[in-house]
Amino acid sequence: MRIATWNVNSVKQRVPRLLPWLDQRKPDVVCLQETKLADEAFTKLLGGELRDRGYEFALNGEVQWNGVAILSKVGIEDVTVGLPGAPGFPHVEARAVSATCDGVRVHSLYVPNGRTPDSEHYHYKLAWLSVLRDVVKAGPEAVVVCGDMNIAPTDADVFDPDAYKDQTHVTPPERAALAELQALGLHDVMRDRWPDKRVFSYWDYRAGMFHQDLGMRIDLILASSPVAARVQASWVDRQARKGTGPSDHAPVIADLDTAPDGDIGPVVPPPSAPAVKRGSKKLPQSK
């Protein structure tokens, strides 16, 4: 079973990229984030195309913002829309959907950004993550938590820790919240398989960040031990970030039981730019 997670940053804008990607990579389960469409509009736009490709789907969308989905070729049962008990900001946002796909409980998540440290949105993010931990803890043993976590787990997951000083995504409370989630027995399948590789999943659109490989790894597949033991390959499909009209995120893929493309490494294709000297580059918003 091939599981993928992808923040598409507007599914309507990404249709010319999404459908060919589904045909090329043939994932069995796809977790999408930032669909930015209400459920009815998503179904009208993509329902026929997805069904023609053998996908059932579960949605939690809203107009213009947020939105998550699960696409599955291997069944989709016991759908839960949203995160029970999750806080709002001020209303409950469309940031979570879960379902059972071929015996595995799959969560598609778009974790709140946090905006700036110690802001109201930052505290909302931490509260949301606390509820997520409780939900996953209460769930079945075979589980995969996929999505845009908006947290880089360690300094190795950003192009330069100095560039992220005083920024969200890297603060100790955020990383502690992610670590508490993983402490339930979830494995970061990418990092477990490639512990020493420089690999990112997100690059800002601005300032040529992608072409310089100035990114961060915030899109994760976290799997419980029974699922992680089945992983044969885990990689970032960097090709999907190239070309015309891409999302600013690349898909992250985990192959269970078999590896159709082989054990192809963490990033496909590999970045062309070398690592930069620490302190030599800043984030676009810092300039």
Side-chain angles (χ1 to χ4, degrees):
M1 181 163 66
R2 170 166 285 178
I3 299 175
T5 184
W6 192 4
N7 179 324
V8 290
N9 191 11
S10 174
V11 73
K12 185 176 181 179
Q13 296 297 320
R14 231 54 65 195
V15 168
R17 303 296 301 258
L18 175 62
L19 295 177
W21 179 82
L22 292 174
D23 295 337
Q24 179 189 23
R25 299 302 187 195
K26 303 185 186 305
D28 298 292
V29 177
V30 185
C31 294
L32 300 178
Q33 299 87 42
E34 274 203 278
T35 57
K36 298 183 179 180
L37 278 180
D39 295 349
E40 183 178 351
F42 183 106
T43 302
K44 183 177 180 180
L45 177 68
L46 280 174
E49 294 282 3
L50 294 176
R51 293 187 188 101
D52 287 348
R53 289 167 169 80
Y55 288 104
E56 301 174 81
F57 48 89
L59 307 174
N60 183 15
E62 59 182 285
V63 177
Q64 191 174 1
W65 309 109
N66 307 315
V68 288
I70 299 173
L71 321 179
S72 176
K73 288 183 175 182
V74 293
I76 192 161
E77 302 174 340
D78 302 324
V79 173
T80 299
V81 175
L83 201 62
F89 192 76
H91 69 280
V92 175
E93 299 176 309
R95 292 186 174 275
V97 65
S98 60
T100 300
C101 304
D102 195 21
V104 177
R105 191 66 183 172
V106 177
H107 295 261
S108 179
L109 306 173
Y110 178 44
V111 174
N113 178 283
R115 299 183 185 172
T116 57
D118 209 33
S119 67
E120 290 184 0
H121 201 269
Y122 180 86
H123 291 290
Y124 160 56
K125 178 179 189 174
L126 297 179
W128 197 95
L129 287 164
S130 178
V131 173
L132 171 62
R133 184 182 184 278
D134 292 341
V135 168
V136 174
K137 183 178 181 180
E141 186 178 5
V143 63
V144 175
V145 176
C146 299
D148 180 356
M149 305 302 287
N150 269 317
I151 302 169
T154 71
D155 282 354
D157 298 303
V158 297
F159 74 88
D160 182 354
D162 289 351
Y164 288 88
K165 184 180 179 182
D166 301 323
Q167 302 283 336
T168 55
H169 295 62
V170 300
T171 65
E174 291 169 284
R175 285 178 168 171
L178 180 60
E180 289 173 4
L181 177 64
Q182 290 185 250
L184 298 176
L186 301 182
H187 300 256
D188 182 342
V189 299
M190 173 66 72
R191 191 51 78 200
D192 282 2
R193 194 157 191 86
W194 306 102
D196 302 319
K197 294 293 185 180
R198 179 171 177 262
V199 54
F200 308 129
S201 64
Y202 163 85
W203 301 261
D204 196 297
Y205 284 128
R206 297 168 291 181
M209 299 289 277
F210 176 67
H211 301 290
Q212 299 175 77
D213 199 32
L214 305 179
M216 61 195 313
R217 191 175 72 93
I218 56 177
D219 303 273
L220 308 179
I221 297 178
L222 306 177
S224 63
S225 293
V227 181
R230 298 169 57 189
V231 173
Q232 299 300 310
S234 183
W235 42 289
V236 174
D237 189 359
R238 192 172 176 272
Q239 185 68 41
R241 179 60 175 80
K242 303 178 78 172
T244 303
S247 170
D248 44 2
H249 296 250
V252 181
I253 296 172
D255 288 323
L256 309 185
D257 305 323
T258 61
D261 296 297
D263 196 8
I264 51 182
V267 180
V268 180
S272 56
V276 298
K277 182 180 178 182
R278 185 160 177 164
S280 65
K281 296 287 186 178
K282 293 183 179 181
L283 299 179
Q285 61 266 36
S286 301
K287 294 181 179 180

